[in-house]
Amino acid sequence: MIVDALHYRTGEPVRIHLEGSIIAAIEPLDGPLLLPPDELLELPVAAPGLVDLQINGYGGHDFNHPVLTAEAVKEAIRALWTEGITTCYPTVITGAAYTIHGAMRAIARACEEDAAAAATIGGIHLEGPFLSPEDGPRGAHSLEHIRPPSTALFDQWQEAAGGRISIVTMSPEWEGSAEFIRHCVRQGVTVSIGHTSASPAQISEAAAAGARLSTHLGNGAHAMLPRHPNYLWAQLAEEELWCTLIADGFHLPDEVLKVAMKVKGSRALLISDAVALAGLPPGSYDTPVGGRVVLTPEGRLHLAGQPGLLAGSAQMLLRHIARLSAAGLADLPDAWDMASVHPAGFMALPEAAGLAAGAPADIALLRRGSAGPSLAALCKAGEWVYRRG
């Protein structure tokens, strides 16, 4: 298969040769291959597929539905293709132990039964229930089900998931956190610090034990903190910690994004943290996590009784990339890499090679517009899985 497009980083016309699920070669579209000028202007932009490390659902498909089914997971994966996502980490959050177990089993079954789901799901992200019980850091997570870290419980869920839990977000403020982190790391699981009220010393201990990430840094936090020390400074200063950021325009002001990106550099990653209401019309909704929530016409999602408390994001990575670019915080190629090759590299995925020969043929074709890039088509493992009608 051959794809003619503009390279997302250089803007130069290229011819991409696909063989099976791999990019076989990329060559300049010049000399005898050169297209007429009017056709060159019509070429789409080719970029690596997006990699979302934290996604709770989309378009009414909810990975935290109380009775999640494998069929629902398969439908969710296909819906995510329409947003340019070629690799995702379905995120299961705080809930009753049996609910988490059921969600893990449903995602595992979807991967076992459906090659497309297996190819798209890079792993499962367990966000909770080992989080801070304090108001603010806990966010919209149910206090009823918050608990100290338990290796036995984690192992039960990992067994139900068929070993697919790849990321676990927890707060190291609990006694025994360091041993829990070491237990996860020995299994190859990435431990991320989030929804925490941990002290700087506890954060340092967590990093020493093997924690390597901060989950949506700057969110899931107290409304007011001591100027210093506090757990935000501690995570920014910790060399071993990468960070994920929500750049939807609601979760973090631009100056916070700018500081985090300057400090972490290529270790700053974008996540959507999108919930099932992403892609749905504005209005009030009842959700299994967070209860009644409100999605505003501007795309902001908050708890119905507490407008100041966000209930996750309703915006997908394309919006986050466009926001960073529009705000002048990153040019478009660098913002795109924060949501594609950099998270892939962090998780040691072959997709970290990006748009290059030998890389997986996970390619997004884009059209540029005043509101940012829009998806025209998506290729997953060498097959076109979405084309805009």
Side-chain angles (χ1 to χ4, degrees):
M1 185 190 306
I2 292 176
V3 179
D4 291 338
L6 303 176
H7 196 287
Y8 80 112
R9 291 213 64 91
T10 67
E12 296 296 321
V14 293
R15 175 158 287 177
I16 305 170
H17 298 263
L18 308 182
E19 291 184 4
S21 62
I22 300 297
I23 298 175
I26 299 181
E27 57 189 358
L29 193 56
D30 57 12
L33 299 177
L34 185 63
L35 296 174
D38 58 338
E39 291 188 35
L40 280 173
L41 291 174
E42 292 299 316
L43 287 178
V45 175
L50 297 174
V51 178
D52 199 340
L53 301 182
Q54 187 167 350
I55 175 83
N56 305 279
Y58 174 71
H61 304 286
D62 190 353
F63 294 127
N64 289 280
H65 191 280
V67 190
L68 183 64
T69 66
E71 288 304 314
V73 174
K74 298 171 193 177
E75 292 174 8
I77 293 305
R78 285 157 175 80
L80 291 175
W81 287 339
T82 69
E83 290 287 344
I85 295 172
T86 50
T87 303
C88 69
Y89 289 73
T91 302
V92 178
I93 76 166
T94 302
Y98 65 86
T99 303
I100 294 175
H101 187 280
M104 295 298 173
R105 188 67 200 116
I107 296 169
R109 280 190 54 205
C111 292
E112 293 161 2
E113 297 171 359
D114 180 32
T120 305
I121 294 175
I124 300 172
H125 185 159
L126 174 63
E127 185 189 13
F130 315 128
L131 309 177
S132 176
E134 294 189 19
D135 290 344
R138 192 180 73 255
H141 289 252
S142 169
L143 178 59
E144 177 186 2
H145 299 299
I146 295 291
R147 55 172 298 149
S150 165
T151 57
L153 198 52
F154 175 81
D155 287 348
Q156 291 175 26
W157 292 331
Q158 183 67 293
E159 182 179 4
R164 291 178 177 83
I165 301 177
S166 300
I167 306 170
V168 57
T169 291
M170 54 86 66
S171 172
E173 68 198 70
W174 297 96
E175 184 178 351
S177 290
E179 179 50 42
F180 176 81
I181 292 169
R182 286 189 286 268
H183 177 81
C184 293
V185 170
R186 284 193 293 267
Q187 298 184 33
V189 176
T190 296
V191 176
S192 187
I193 298 171
H195 290 280
T196 188
S197 61
S199 68
Q202 289 169 326
I203 288 168
S204 179
E205 183 182 20
R212 288 295 176 266
L213 187 65
S214 295
T215 293
H216 49 54
L217 186 65
N219 294 112
H222 293 96
M224 298 187 68
L225 285 170
R227 59 180 178 174
H228 50 70
N230 64 55
Y231 46 76
L232 298 181
W233 287 117
Q235 290 177 84
L236 280 170
E238 184 55 61
E239 297 286 350
E240 296 298 327
L241 294 179
W242 295 50
C243 76
T244 61
L245 301 167
I246 306 174
D248 62 353
F250 305 115
H251 278 74
L252 293 173
D254 287 352
E255 58 268 26
V256 175
L257 288 167
K258 185 175 183 178
V259 168
M261 291 165 62
K262 279 185 173 292
V263 171
K264 295 299 183 179
S266 62
R267 295 186 170 194
L269 313 174
L270 292 181
I271 54 168
S272 70
D273 195 25
V275 299
L277 300 181
L280 297 186
S284 296
Y285 295 88
D286 288 314
T287 65
V289 179
R292 179 162 285 269
V293 299
V294 175
L295 177 59
T296 70
E298 296 76 25
R300 186 178 186 273
L301 184 66
H302 62 80
L303 297 182
Q306 299 172 276
L309 189 58
L310 295 170
S313 168
Q315 304 299 324
M316 303 300 286
L317 283 175
L318 288 170
R319 158 80 176 249
H320 299 229
I321 292 166
R323 278 278 302 119
L324 284 186
S325 179
L329 297 175
D331 62 26
L332 188 60
D334 288 342
W336 192 275
D337 283 351
M338 290 176 68
S340 58
V341 297
H342 292 168
F346 176 71
M347 296 304 295
L349 302 176
E351 288 81 357
L355 196 64
D362 290 1
I363 302 171
L365 295 184
L366 311 168
R367 298 291 182 186
R368 297 194 187 222
S370 58
S374 61
L375 186 67
L378 188 71
C379 181
K380 172 64 184 173
E383 299 288 339
W384 294 107
V385 294
Y386 170 75
R387 289 185 185 273
R388 190 167 61 198

